Amino acid sequence: MCGIAALHHPTSVPAAAGEPMVDAIAHRGPDDTDQREVGRHAWLGHTRLSIVDLDGGRQPLRGLDGWTLVCNGEIYNHAQLRDDLGEQDYRTSSDSESALVLLARFGPAALDRLQGMWALCAAAPDGRFVAARDRLGIKPLYWAEVAGTRYFASELCAFPADVQAAVETFPPGCSWTPETGLVRFAEPVPEPVGMPDWAGMSAEIAEKSTREVLIDSVRRHLMADVEVGVFLSGGLDSSIVAAIAAADCAEAGQRLKTFAVGSADSPDLLAARAAAEHLGTEHHEVVFDAEQAIAALDDVVRSVESFDASLIRSAVPNWFLSELAADHVKVVLTGEGADELFAGYGYYHRTHADDLQDELARTLGELHGLNLQRCDRVTMAHGLEARVPFLDADVIAHAMSLPEELKALEDGVEKAHLRRAFTGWLPDELLWRRKVQFGTGAGAQDLLTPHWESRITDAELESTNEPVRTKEELAYYRIFRNALPTIRPEAVLTRFATA
């Protein structure tokens, strides 16, 4: 996991603008930093959190035909790609080098072969340049064009003040070159190649398939040359991830580390303790109160680079959780994405019973500006990498191929198919625990919302021209605007970008 920055100009790149951009995102990669001019038209910068090939994976990486690359993320199928492509063009053991080899040999269209989370920029001395981002936008990338120069960076704070007003989100599943412009190479939901026809098959067969694809994904997401832990909220999704990871660690003679957060006696904290005890993990937890939550808000809003109230509420406990986990591991797995694949939110069933799959696909495509943004920023603010095994391409393709009836409510309970798929892996009281959103289950909403309701008047909210919906959101907007004075709301909030 890392932070990247890049500049491109058709004739002469202003390389001096690049170093402050890398400095601004040093928290994303506290282990190392480097930068390089590539010919006259490009500059690439990188700050590194060392996870794979600790000694040889320094970036920018140089490869075939003059190409140089900076990449933020993890390529989980890099070993398979090495086998397919041959070792002759590899110089390191870095997983990112597979992206470089693919790009140099076959061009940007081949990047859809990368299985993982990533954003990259690459350049060659003769003027070629590519920027690209994974199909879901799990890893962040922003861009702007001012006076002929294109700027790219992992976070909004990296852009110079005179560029911020032009910044936009780089769209997931797309690549950009000076010759072709923006080109889509991958959709959020992969083509269901080789998926079975579920019609007529028993529910047990589908459950077995769901279990197998998730086990395979979690095992691949444990790939690292450092220790990997799990964020354990006590909810279904993170508990399944923890159960698989704990079993894998036990086979290797290791004990999984799990991490939980909440206000005192909050539902998530209590459920996480029960799950950790059942799984036999080395469990760590942090308890926060209203004073600590409010004191952290400036740091949280600046880190998340958003003012959406629900996002900030869930980010506050994640802030304390990431701070805790970073003292023990460099990588954590999370349960992000399961609700969007298996219809875990109540509104799916209340208002989209007739077009459930379409709505699931839509929300998957918007995750990059919502939960994934929060997940990435809060962990990376502490030099911690978060991985999302539910959002693996194979898992998405499988889950989205399942018939809608397997995702319907069962006796009012959501995700019954997923729960049954892991029968025996968790106690029934955890396996069938009802959905509680993280900001609520960890206790943040009860601490933060009343605080702002009592401190911002109705008149203040009614008189503001800012793009906010509640008093709480107005408070977060003020912090956001102080940190990023000229960033446009549509650059950071999905509700504006898709309106």
Short mmCIF file of all heavy atoms in Angstrom, two decimals, residues 254 308 336 364 409:
data_model
loop_
_atom_site.label_atom_id
_atom_site.label_comp_id
_atom_site.label_asym_id
_atom_site.label_seq_id
_atom_site.Cartn_x
_atom_site.Cartn_y
_atom_site.Cartn_z
N GLN A 254 -0.15 -20.35 13.42
CA GLN A 254 -0.17 -18.96 13.88
C GLN A 254 -1.52 -18.63 14.51
O GLN A 254 -2.49 -19.36 14.35
CB GLN A 254 0.11 -18.02 12.70
CG GLN A 254 1.45 -18.27 12.02
CD GLN A 254 1.57 -17.54 10.69
OE1 GLN A 254 0.59 -17.03 10.16
NE2 GLN A 254 2.78 -17.51 10.16
N ASP A 308 -19.83 13.99 4.28
CA ASP A 308 -21.05 13.19 4.39
C ASP A 308 -21.18 12.68 5.83
O ASP A 308 -20.28 12.01 6.35
CB ASP A 308 -20.99 12.02 3.41
CG ASP A 308 -22.23 11.16 3.47
OD1 ASP A 308 -22.25 10.22 4.28
OD2 ASP A 308 -23.17 11.44 2.72
N GLU A 336 -16.02 -5.06 4.19
CA GLU A 336 -16.66 -4.13 3.25
C GLU A 336 -17.16 -4.86 2.00
O GLU A 336 -16.49 -5.74 1.46
CB GLU A 336 -15.68 -3.04 2.82
CG GLU A 336 -15.13 -2.18 3.93
CD GLU A 336 -16.14 -1.20 4.49
OE1 GLU A 336 -17.24 -1.08 3.92
OE2 GLU A 336 -15.82 -0.57 5.51
N LEU A 364 -22.67 -0.95 -5.98
CA LEU A 364 -21.28 -1.40 -6.11
C LEU A 364 -20.45 -0.37 -6.85
O LEU A 364 -19.31 -0.08 -6.48
CB LEU A 364 -21.22 -2.74 -6.85
CG LEU A 364 -21.46 -4.01 -6.05
CD1 LEU A 364 -21.60 -5.20 -6.99
CD2 LEU A 364 -20.34 -4.27 -5.05
N LEU A 409 -35.24 -11.42 1.68
CA LEU A 409 -35.36 -11.58 3.13
C LEU A 409 -35.95 -12.95 3.46
O LEU A 409 -36.81 -13.45 2.74
CB LEU A 409 -36.26 -10.50 3.71
CG LEU A 409 -35.76 -9.05 3.64
CD1 LEU A 409 -36.82 -8.12 4.21
CD2 LEU A 409 -34.46 -8.87 4.38
#
